[in-house]
């Protein structure tokens, strides 16, 4: 079973990376989700697999009878799942705003903010509303 | 000594407040503090001159073997007297010079910081402490040169002086560390007690070269001399104090201090004589063809610094002349700068072309200039005269014709610089030249300093014990007893000295011709953008090329690395990981499938789930429609949840199902507003990425397998499983970990979610407001 898990981890990471390398900004989102799932699986399988023995204390005992599935990675993954969802929601909102403001979904057109001393080439191509600086005062209209 | 440093540094800290309360009168307070220190150091003269020492140690960095150790011996006392004495006069002078300048507070903070650091350099007995103070003087000098921040040239000069001295400072640090490694101590007194270091050691030679580099940059030796004339952008009190009397002598001081350690080295004498001689000559040659009074004096200072280094190179014979020249030069050159500043303050002019007939325009200032020039030209009975006689005596005894010639030429240049300051008193009065009243300090300070220098020769015999003590420090021997006399009778030295004075005067008279020659050779002005003549081969040109090169390199590598393409960033990271992690994974001992006991665990449902996960992740990649990708993601998430449930993680399964549902719902809603799937990359790029992704996936799969070979300590998990019920009264261990054992982590998680929610709200709120605005 460990080999199957390793296979899944590899596939998820490979697919995630392929999507992260695409220029289409929406594919980036899908890649992020796959990457999160792959990482969770990696942590889960890394602590050893125990079938059908959840770390629950039976009613008539005060500790978990061995063998049991390791509770610590589970707690970590649980946190990770929730955080990934938060990241995803934020990324969706950000990509949405970016698309509305810049009217492009091509990541290769979004290079200017990171480059040395360049005026964003896309600054003048706004479709809906003129582009405002990211840290602008947001006065509206 | 510690208290003195402390008082000065406290004064530097409260300077902004003091300047606000006292305005220009804060200068009187600073002068008073310097004066008190001067009196204290002067009171130590008799005991130190007898060969005593004072030491103070404050514990600092004990684990590194370093401490704030201070030591006052003859050499340190000589410099401490100069720093506090000239410091007093400069502080007074500033009252009249800067008046109520709007940036007066910054000036005082920098100047007092400098004074503290400079005293620290000469008192330090610990090399780390010495280095820290050394760099502090560079920082203070940077702020003082760039004081007139509105002038581009001042900013450029400040940066140049800082960069040049900082490069030397780095070399010095390494040199001092090598020295500490060789001798096993940071304490200078302990190193000096070990006597000369073995010359054959490569460590000692490297340390010597690096220390020499540090000293040469600080003391403006060729080829680093160019920063000093440019530093004349600073206010004149700074030029007099830092760039003639004290800071530029820090390099000379350091070489004198370490001379007992290095002087036996075979490179010591040739390198110091060559470096110093070259600088003395270059400075002297560049002095005369200058128009600007301050640049003129600056080049003459360069020449004097070179002469000092040359004297140190002569060893035992040069030590006495060295001491006398340090003292005399600080007095007369400081006075010369102060008087040049007074001329500029009175008339608004600073160049020899635009000044003339000052003896009629402002007789009082003119007589001050005359006193200072007589002292600076080395006429008897000045201190400069005695120093010059001693220098000539040493070099004539040496019987090395080149050294005698070099020294004489350097002295001619420096004396000519002094005579040139006299030129503004005579000649035709330029139109529009008028002088306004001067604050009394602007005249009193140069008169006091100049008179001291002028009568210094007569009182010289009284200072013989101090000179002996300094010589003892420089040579690292016990006290030699020196006789100092003002008058040696009619000797060869006297003849040469008079010849020098007369030749220099002739040069000063012939200045108008020389300046035309200097113009033709482009020596007269700081380098313009288009160099011509000798400016084309100047070392300053090299400096500018170097700085521009560094900036260009920085720009290019930033353009290369920070190119803005996300996929290139990711590729860089992944390729690095493939190389580093992949190499490690390959060398890991695997548990081979035969040794894994788990094949028996696999059943049909598992295989089905795994197959769905594999297929749906590939489908998410291959999908050409957004909805198809979302559907694939949904299937993948639910199968993952089932796998979690089957392998003892019901909580994970529940969370995964919940989050997966939410994700699908969110994506379906959001994707209507997001752009359609587009195929933007070329087939070739897709193929390249696919190869990279496959390699990365294979590496991660190998990594996942490799982790099976290791087990982290299960003590923590076992503790949680045992104590969940007794301690936290919970039967679900995972829940107990989250809300009890690691509750703070969960709080952090909730905070992250709240922040994400706030961010999303902010991003979406902008849209709705805009819509209202445009409606």
């Amino acid at each position: 079973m460990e080999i199957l898990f390793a296979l899944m981890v590899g596939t998820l990471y490979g697919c995630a990376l392929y999507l992260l390398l695409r220029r289409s900004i929406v594919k980036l989102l899908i890649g992020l989700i796959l990457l999160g799932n792959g990482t969770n699986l990696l942590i889960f399988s890394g602590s050893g697999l125990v079938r059908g023995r959840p770390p629950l204390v039976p009613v008539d005992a005060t500790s978990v009878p061995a063998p049991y599935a390791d509770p610590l990675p589970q707690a970590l993954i649980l946190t990770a799942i929730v955080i990934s969802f938060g990241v995803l929601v934020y990324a969706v909102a950000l990509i949405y705003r970016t698309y509305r403001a810049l009217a492009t979904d091509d990541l290769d057109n979004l290079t200017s903010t990171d480059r040395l001393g360049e005026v964003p080439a896309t600054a003048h191509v706004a479709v809906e509303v003129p582009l405002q600086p990211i840290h602008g005062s947001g006065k509206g209209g | 000594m510690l208290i003195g440093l402390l008082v000065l540094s406290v004064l530097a800290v409260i300077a902004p407040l003091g300047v606000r309360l006292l305005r220009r009168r804060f200068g009187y307070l600073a002068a008073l503090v310097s004066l008190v220190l001067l009196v204290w150091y002067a009171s130590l003269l008799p005991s130190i001159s007898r060969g005593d020492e004072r030491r103070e140690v404050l514990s600092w960095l004990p684990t590194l073997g370093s401490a704030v150790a201070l030591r006052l011996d003859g050499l340190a006392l000589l410099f401490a007297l100069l720093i506090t004495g000239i410091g007093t006069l400069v502080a007074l002078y500033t009252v009249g010079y800067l008046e109520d300048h709007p940036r007066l507070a910054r000036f005082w903070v920098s100047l007092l910081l400098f004074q503290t650091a400079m005293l620290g350099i000469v008192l330090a007995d610990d090399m780390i402490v010495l280095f820290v103070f050394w760099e502090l003087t560079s920082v203070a000098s940077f702020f003082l040169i760039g004081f007139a921040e509105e002038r581009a040239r001042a900013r450029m000069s400040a940066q140049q002086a800082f960069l040049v001295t900082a490069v030397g400072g780095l070399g010095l640090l390494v040199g001092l560390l090598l020295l500490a490694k060789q001798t096993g101590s940071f304490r200078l007194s302990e190193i000096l007690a070990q006597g000369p270091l073995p010359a054959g050691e490569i460590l000692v030679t490297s340390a010597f070269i690096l220390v020499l580099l540090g000293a040469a940059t600080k003391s403006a030796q060729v080829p680093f001399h160019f920063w000093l004339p440019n530093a004349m952008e600073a206010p004149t009190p700074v030029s007099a104090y830092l760039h003639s009397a004290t800071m530029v002598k820090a390099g000379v001081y350091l070489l004198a201090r370490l001379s007992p350690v290095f002087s036996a080295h075979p490179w010591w004498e040739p390198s110091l004589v060559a470096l110093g001689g070259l600088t003395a000559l270059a400075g002297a040659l560049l002095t005369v063809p200058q128009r600007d009074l301050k640049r003129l004096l600056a080049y003459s200072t360069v020449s004097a610094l070179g002469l000092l280094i040359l004297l140190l190179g002569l060893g035992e014979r040069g030590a006495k002349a060295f001491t006398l020249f340090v003292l005399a030069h600080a007095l007369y050159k400081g006075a010369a700068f102060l008087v040049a500043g007074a001329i500029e303050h009175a008339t608004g002019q600073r160049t020899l072309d635009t000044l003339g007939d000052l003896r009629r325009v402002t007789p009082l200032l003119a007589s001050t200039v005359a006193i200072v020039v007589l002292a600076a030209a080395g006429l008897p009975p000045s201190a400069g005269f005695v120093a010059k006689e001693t220098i000539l005596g040493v070099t004539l005894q040496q019987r090395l014709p080149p050294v005698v010639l070099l020294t004489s030429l350097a002295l001619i240049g420096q004396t000519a610089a002094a005579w040139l300051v006299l030129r503004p008193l005579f000649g035709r009065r330029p139109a529009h030249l008028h002088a306004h009243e001067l604050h009394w300090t602007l005249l009193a300070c140069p008169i006091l300093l100049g008179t001291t220098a002028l009568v210094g020769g007569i009182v010289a015999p009284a200072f013989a014990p101090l000179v002996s003590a300094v010589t003892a420090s420089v040579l690292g021997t016990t006290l030699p007893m020196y006789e100092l006399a003002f008058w040696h009778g009619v000797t060869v030295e006297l003849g040469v000295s008079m010849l020098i004075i007369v030749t220099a005067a002739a040069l000063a008279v012939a200045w108008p011709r020389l300046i035309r020659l200097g113009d033709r050779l482009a020596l007269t002005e700081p380098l313009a953008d288009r160099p011509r003549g000798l400016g084309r081969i100047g070392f300053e040109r090299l400096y500018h090329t170097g700085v521009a090169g560094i900036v260009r390199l920085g720009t290019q590598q930033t353009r290369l690395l920070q190119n803005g393409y996300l996929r290139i960033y990711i590729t860089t990271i992944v390729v690095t990981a493939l190389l580093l992690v992949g190499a490690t994974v390959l060398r890991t001992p695997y548990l081979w499938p035969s040794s894994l006991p788990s094949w028996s665990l696999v059943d049909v449902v598992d295989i089905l789930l795994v197959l769905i996960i594999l297929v749906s992740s590939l489908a998410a990649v291959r999908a050409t429609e957004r909805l198809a990708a979302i559907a694939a993601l949904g299937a993948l998430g639910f199968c993952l949840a089932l796998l979690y449930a089957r392998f003892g993680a019901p909580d994970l399964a529940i969370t995964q199902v919940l989050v997966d549902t939410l994700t699908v719902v969110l994506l379906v809603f959001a994707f209507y507003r997001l752009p359609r799937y587009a195929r933007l990359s070329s087939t070739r790029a897709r193929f390249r990425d696919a190869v990279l992704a496959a390699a990365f996936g294979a590496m991660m799969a190998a990594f996942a397998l490799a982790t099976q070979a290791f087990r982290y300590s299960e003590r923590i998990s076992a503790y949680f499983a045992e104590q969940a019920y007794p301690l936290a009264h919970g039967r679900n261990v995972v829940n107990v970990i989250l809300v009890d054992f690691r509750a703070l982590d969960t709080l952090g998680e909730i905070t992250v979610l709240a922040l994400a929610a706030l961010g999303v709200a902010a991003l979406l709120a902008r849209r709705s407001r805009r819509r209202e605005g445009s409606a």
Side-chain angles (χ1 to χ4, degrees):
Chain A
M1 195 64 215
E2 278 81 359
I3 293 173
L4 289 182
F5 264 79
L7 187 64
M8 283 190 289
V9 168
T11 311
L12 282 172
Y13 268 103
C15 293
L17 178 63
Y18 182 79
L19 286 174
L20 287 179
L21 290 172
R22 302 276 54 80
R23 279 162 59 183
S24 164
I25 201 164
V26 186
K27 291 184 180 169
L28 192 75
L29 272 183
I30 312 277
L32 273 180
I33 299 174
L34 290 181
L35 195 69
N37 281 330
T39 310
N40 290 345
L41 261 186
L42 178 66
I43 299 172
F44 190 72
S45 71
S47 67
L49 299 172
V50 180
R51 186 191 288 279
R53 307 278 304 194
L56 298 173
V57 184
V59 185
D60 51 353
T62 56
S63 68
V64 191
Y68 51 87
D70 196 338
L72 192 59
Q74 292 191 22
L76 294 179
I77 296 169
L78 213 151
T79 309
I81 293 175
V82 177
I83 296 275
S84 323
F85 181 67
V87 171
L88 176 73
V89 174
Y90 187 73
V92 167
L94 200 60
I95 287 172
Y96 171 73
R97 286 293 331 143
T98 311
Y99 177 57
R100 301 287 275 196
L102 300 177
T104 178
D105 64 334
D106 186 351
L107 276 171
D108 278 13
N109 288 338
L110 302 177
T111 56
S112 49
T113 49
D114 217 25
R115 249 187 279 170
L116 212 59
E118 276 185 26
V119 181
T122 43
H124 315 290
V125 217
V127 168
E128 244 196 0
V129 284
L131 173 73
Q132 293 208 341
I134 296 167
H135 305 291
S137 52
K139 278 177 194 143
Chain B
M1 296 183 278
L2 269 175
I3 293 177
L5 290 182
L6 205 65
V7 169
L8 278 175
S9 51
V10 167
L11 199 62
V13 171
I14 63 163
L17 191 69
V19 168
R20 196 179 302 162
L21 289 178
L22 301 170
R23 312 297 296 262
R24 71 176 79 173
R25 288 190 300 278
F26 182 79
Y28 295 128
L29 180 65
L32 185 68
V33 171
S34 279
L35 185 65
V36 170
L37 287 174
L38 172 69
V39 170
W40 188 75
Y41 283 116
S43 73
L44 293 175
L45 253 176
S47 70
I48 301 287
S49 299
R50 276 197 308 275
D52 292 348
E53 284 182 5
R54 278 181 75 99
R55 289 172 190 236
E56 285 172 25
V57 177
L58 186 73
S59 181
W60 181 61
L61 301 178
T63 46
L64 297 181
S66 173
V68 182
L70 305 182
R71 184 169 75 114
L72 187 71
D73 62 352
L75 184 62
L77 184 64
L78 171 72
F79 277 90
L81 286 173
L82 287 178
I83 293 163
T84 51
I86 298 182
T88 309
L89 291 178
V90 161
L92 267 184
Y93 185 87
T94 304
V95 175
Y97 189 83
L98 281 183
E99 298 169 342
D100 290 332
H101 194 283
R103 289 193 298 271
L104 196 59
R106 188 200 295 180
F107 178 86
W108 278 115
V109 170
S110 314
L111 194 75
L112 290 167
L113 176 74
F114 165 76
Q115 201 177 1
T116 316
M118 192 65 215
L119 259 183
I121 289 182
V122 299
L123 294 178
D125 192 25
D126 184 280
M127 293 195 295
I128 300 298
V129 174
L130 186 143
F131 176 75
V132 170
F133 282 131
W134 178 282
E135 292 294 283
L136 267 182
T137 58
S138 291
V139 174
S141 159
F142 171 79
F143 283 113
L144 289 168
I145 298 173
F147 183 68
E149 59 187 18
E150 64 279 354
R151 282 208 308 270
R153 186 161 278 173
R155 298 196 298 271
M156 193 278 287
S157 302
Q159 190 191 39
Q160 186 182 59
F162 184 75
L163 282 181
V164 172
T165 49
V167 166
L170 279 181
L172 174 69
L173 176 64
V174 179
L176 293 180
L177 291 179
L178 290 180
L179 197 58
K181 188 169 166 50
Q182 173 71 25
T183 57
S185 172
F186 282 119
R187 202 63 71 81
L188 277 170
S189 47
E190 288 170 14
I191 295 172
L192 294 175
Q194 295 182 13
L197 290 178
E201 295 269 351
I202 183 84
L203 213 61
V204 177
T205 307
S206 320
F208 169 59
I209 293 172
L210 289 168
V211 168
L212 189 62
L213 177 72
T217 51
K218 198 76 165 180
S219 288
Q221 300 295 299
V222 170
F224 307 110
H225 63 286
F226 52 83
W227 72 261
L228 187 56
N230 287 338
M232 294 301 123
E233 292 291 331
T236 303
V238 174
S239 307
Y241 194 34
L242 273 73
H243 302 126
S244 122
T246 56
M247 188 184 93
V248 288
K249 295 214 173 75
V252 179
Y253 164 81
L254 185 73
L255 287 177
R257 175 58 82 202
L258 291 176
S259 110
V261 179
F262 288 129
S263 58
H265 198 283
W267 293 10
W268 172 270
E269 183 169 344
S271 58
L272 257 64
V273 169
L275 181 72
L278 196 62
T279 308
L281 187 65
L285 286 180
L286 289 168
T287 288
V288 183
Q290 299 293 332
R291 284 194 172 80
D292 184 341
L293 275 177
K294 280 178 76 181
R295 287 182 75 85
L296 180 92
L297 292 172
Y299 275 116
S300 132
T301 307
V302 168
S303 173
L305 291 168
L307 206 50
L308 283 173
I309 301 253
L310 183 140
L311 287 173
L312 276 178
L314 294 182
E316 204 174 326
R317 301 163 300 258
K320 180 177 151 196
F322 167 82
T323 312
L324 285 171
F325 195 45
V326 165
L327 194 61
H329 178 259
L331 293 177
Y332 74 69
K333 193 54 69 61
F337 269 110
L338 292 184
V339 92
I343 294 177
E344 187 191 6
H345 205 275
T347 63
Q349 303 294 337
R350 198 169 93 179
T351 52
L352 290 175
D353 297 351
T354 53
L355 287 164
D357 205 23
L358 276 187
R359 72 199 148 108
R360 293 213 190 84
V361 178
T362 156
L364 193 58
L365 179 58
S367 37
T368 314
V369 173
I371 293 175
V372 172
V373 168
L374 290 185
L379 285 176
S382 68
F385 172 70
V386 177
K388 210 185 310 175
E389 289 249 292
T390 324
I391 295 173
L392 287 171
V394 170
T395 47
L396 285 174
Q397 275 169 26
Q398 202 71 2
R399 297 193 186 287
L400 278 173
V403 175
V404 176
L405 192 66
L406 264 179
T407 316
S408 310
L409 285 177
L411 285 174
I412 289 175
Q414 292 168 39
T415 315
W419 286 125
L420 280 173
V421 180
L422 213 53
R423 275 190 77 91
L425 267 54
F426 305 100
R428 249 181 321 141
R429 183 191 306 203
H432 311 302
L433 184 77
H434 54 87
H436 64 77
E437 277 291 292
L438 283 177
H439 193 265
W440 64 270
T441 57
L442 288 183
L443 291 173
C445 293
I447 289 179
L448 200 57
L449 207 53
T451 317
T452 315
L454 193 55
V455 302
I458 300 171
V459 296
F463 282 90
L466 176 66
V467 174
S468 305
V470 176
T471 315
S473 305
V474 174
L475 299 177
T477 55
T478 48
L479 229 48
M481 275 328 288
Y482 280 134
E483 293 292 318
L484 273 186
F486 161 58
W487 185 253
H488 293 278
V490 181
T491 54
V492 185
E493 287 95 320
L494 183 69
V496 177
S497 180
M498 287 304 135
L499 199 63
I500 286 172
I501 291 174
V502 172
T503 317
L507 279 179
V509 172
W511 179 78
R513 282 165 200 274
L514 293 171
I515 193 74
R516 276 199 293 278
L517 180 70
D519 280 343
R520 211 169 304 141
L521 296 175
L523 294 170
T524 44
E525 284 294 313
L527 278 190
D529 291 354
R530 283 248 205 78
R532 57 197 182 85
L534 288 181
R536 215 174 288 168
I537 55 163
F539 293 106
E540 189 175 4
R541 192 81 201 148
L542 220 60
Y543 163 84
H544 285 300
T545 316
V547 170
I550 291 171
V551 171
R552 202 161 44 239
L553 184 74
T555 314
Q556 277 170 359
Q557 70 94 11
T558 309
R559 286 236 166 88
L560 188 72
L561 294 178
Q562 193 176 323
N563 44 39
Y565 290 100
L566 179 67
R567 53 197 167 86
I568 296 180
Y569 296 165
I570 295 179
T571 309
T572 313
I573 296 170
V574 166
V575 169
T576 312
L578 268 175
L579 292 178
L580 296 180
V581 182
T584 317
V585 167
L586 275 183
R587 284 192 282 127
T588 312
Y590 283 96
L591 288 180
W592 288 103
S594 54
S595 60
L596 287 170
S598 36
W599 282 108
S600 55
L601 284 170
V602 182
D603 64 18
V604 184
V605 182
D606 286 333
I607 293 187
L608 209 61
L609 288 175
V610 170
L611 271 181
I612 296 176
I613 289 176
L614 292 178
V615 169
S616 53
S617 48
L618 287 173
V621 172
R622 295 286 303 161
T624 48
E625 268 303 312
R626 294 169 294 178
L627 265 179
I630 296 171
L633 277 183
L636 190 154
F638 284 116
C639 290
L640 265 182
L642 282 175
L643 266 186
Y644 287 143
R646 289 173 64 81
F647 285 91
D651 300 281
L652 285 191
I654 296 168
T655 317
Q656 179 77 34
V657 167
L658 207 64
V659 166
D660 208 54
T661 314
L662 278 175
T663 306
V664 169
V665 171
L666 170 84
L667 288 182
V668 167
F669 271 112
F671 273 32
Y672 271 115
R673 298 171 177 277
L674 288 183
R676 293 179 171 281
Y677 258 28
R679 204 181 134 172
L680 297 168
S681 312
S682 65
T683 313
R684 200 162 147 233
R686 292 158 68 90
F687 179 72
R688 189 190 58 211
D689 292 345
V691 171
L692 187 66
F696 186 61
M699 188 198 80
M700 288 313 291
F703 179 69
L705 263 188
T707 54
Q708 299 297 329
F710 303 99
R711 278 284 168 265
Y712 66 92
S713 161
E714 286 178 356
R715 277 211 336 270
I716 306 169
S717 301
Y719 171 83
F720 286 144
E722 275 164 29
Q723 300 297 329
Y725 189 70
L727 281 184
H729 304 288
R731 292 187 181 277
N732 184 335
V733 181
V734 177
N735 284 3
V736 167
I737 291 175
L738 284 174
V739 300
D740 205 309
F741 289 125
R742 309 294 307 162
L744 267 181
D745 291 359
T746 309
L747 184 68
E749 177 195 352
I750 293 170
T751 314
V752 169
L753 283 185
L755 283 177
L758 274 177
V760 171
L763 282 169
L764 298 184
R766 283 173 67 85
R767 183 204 54 169
S768 56
R769 245 206 329 267
R770 282 222 189 110
R771 201 172 270 167
E772 281 163 24
S774 55

